[in-house]
Amino acid sequence: MSSAIINGKEIGQEIRGSVAKQVEELKAKGVTPGLAVVLVGNNPASKTYVTNKQKSCEAIGMYSELITLPETISEQQLLEHIRELNERNDIHGILVQLPLPKHINEDSVIATISPDKDVDGFAPISVGKMMLGQETYLPCTPYGVMKLLEHSGIEVAGKHAVIVGRSHIVGKPMGQLLLQKDATVTYTHSKTPDLPSFTKQADILIAAVGRANFITAEHVKEGAVVIDVGINRDEDNHLCGDVDFAAVDGIASHITPVPGGVGPMTITMLLANTVQAAAKTVQP
Ligand code: GUN
């Protein structure tokens, strides 16, 4: 029997519907949620991501502003742009698209974003609060995965979740969010010896390693929930995930497709975080 598909497009649309309602309510109170997206240089993938983010904002009535800056901009000049955005009342969320050019220190840039506007949840203060279980903006991709599990009726408490990948953006925070919901969490990565011996234990397997079709049948336990965070191109230049879908289909109880799984959730949670930031500026 085929695995059940977790449809991120559908779940994302449902959540965007309720975020759109919040946008209407805020507008009625005189506040239009605004997101500033900062794009440095000409990375084609980053341009596509940024365009999608902007279109999604506009589709639900939010304001979005794209700040395109040249590849050669100095770190100081970039920091100055961010400080200006920190001060603006019409901008509630700031997102600096990563990666940045090599001569710019990403850590300094991210740390300059006001924690009140850090809708990516990447800044040290946001990460610290998340670790402590305090209220903050959660990083959009792992937050989106939690919503996928919740909307699919998948219980997390007591389950063994195995994460493959340890990035700041996905792997590390993903484990924290699952831990906070009482999962037992194991972190693995590309240098873990005998990876299948770990992943085979997973009730929930999160693939976030960034390698095309890396997770195959030998990695997956019968009945596991498999969440594929990867967005890669295979040798034929087709979009594919970190999971070899055809190989794992039928072994997993549930699986997210690529595209149409985790991807749409990342932008959805960015919209939700920005609306939350705007709502905080409204007097009760
Ligand atoms: N680059 C790849 N993914 C992301 C993301 O979620 N946020 C930002 N700012 N940059 C990215």
Side-chain angles (χ1 to χ4, degrees):
M1 207 173 65
S2 297
S3 310
I5 302 289
I6 300 179
N7 188 332
K9 213 169 158 190
E10 247 173 53
I11 297 170
Q13 278 306 332
E14 193 185 322
I15 298 174
R16 285 184 206 203
S18 60
V19 177
K21 279 206 191 93
Q22 289 175 274
V23 172
E24 264 178 46
E25 286 162 18
L26 285 167
K27 279 181 160 176
K29 292 178 185 164
V31 175
T32 301
L35 174 70
V37 179
V38 180
L39 176 64
V40 182
N42 296 308
N43 180 326
S46 290
K47 274 189 182 172
T48 309
Y49 290 140
V50 160
T51 306
N52 287 340
K53 285 169 186 173
Q54 279 209 292
K55 279 189 188 156
S56 305
C57 280
E58 284 153 20
I60 61 161
M62 287 169 56
Y63 173 67
S64 86
E65 186 168 312
L66 177 61
I67 295 115
T68 341
L69 300 168
E71 182 92 21
T72 51
I73 193 169
S74 73
E75 186 175 311
Q76 280 315 312
Q77 285 170 315
L78 175 56
L79 295 183
E80 208 35 60
H81 279 282
I82 292 170
R83 289 190 194 105
E84 276 172 29
L85 293 168
N86 283 342
E87 294 304 318
R88 276 177 53 182
N89 291 331
D90 61 334
I91 294 296
H92 305 97
I94 302 170
L95 180 149
V96 179
Q97 187 66 28
L98 302 177
L100 289 169
K102 294 260 175 305
H103 66 279
I104 296 175
N105 182 331
E106 278 184 4
D107 292 344
S108 309
V109 172
I110 290 169
T112 302
I113 299 171
S114 161
D116 294 335
K117 299 190 179 187
D118 176 31
V119 288
D120 248 340
F122 291 171
I125 290 181
S126 310
V127 176
K129 285 188 172 179
M130 180 201 62
M131 290 287 290
L132 295 168
Q134 295 175 10
E135 198 197 320
T136 185
Y137 301 110
L138 299 176
C140 301
T141 302
Y143 188 14
V145 170
M146 295 308 287
K147 289 287 173 191
L148 283 181
L149 295 171
E150 189 185 310
H151 279 250
S152 306
I154 293 161
E155 183 60 64
V156 170
K159 298 286 174 62
H160 185 187
V162 178
I163 323 279
V164 189
R166 53 177 156 176
S167 69
H168 293 329
I169 296 183
V170 184
K172 284 182 190 168
M174 188 73 254
Q176 276 304 313
L177 297 184
L178 288 162
L179 186 64
Q180 279 167 18
K181 293 287 179 196
D182 298 328
T184 301
V185 175
T186 300
Y187 283 103
T188 68
H189 47 80
S190 57
K191 294 196 173 66
T192 301
D194 192 11
L195 187 65
S197 69
F198 292 93
T199 57
K200 270 264 185 197
Q201 295 178 41
D203 302 311
I204 300 172
L205 178 60
I206 311 278
V209 70
R211 294 190 186 183
N213 299 321
F214 183 73
I215 299 292
T216 62
E218 63 163 345
H219 294 91
V220 180
K221 180 172 80 174
E222 188 81 34
V225 174
V226 177
I227 306 289
D228 190 351
V229 183
I231 303 177
N232 313 294
R233 296 266 168 195
D234 65 14
E235 55 276 12
D236 301 324
N237 207 32
H238 290 135
L239 207 58
C240 70
D242 288 356
V243 177
D244 182 341
F245 187 97
V248 171
D249 189 19
I251 303 174
S253 65
H254 297 73
I255 187 166
T256 60
V258 176
V262 175
M265 296 302 290
T266 299
I267 298 188
T268 302
M269 303 328 291
L270 173 68
L271 303 176
N273 280 349
T274 307
V275 169
Q276 193 189 329
K280 284 195 181 147
T281 67
V282 177
Q283 304 300 329

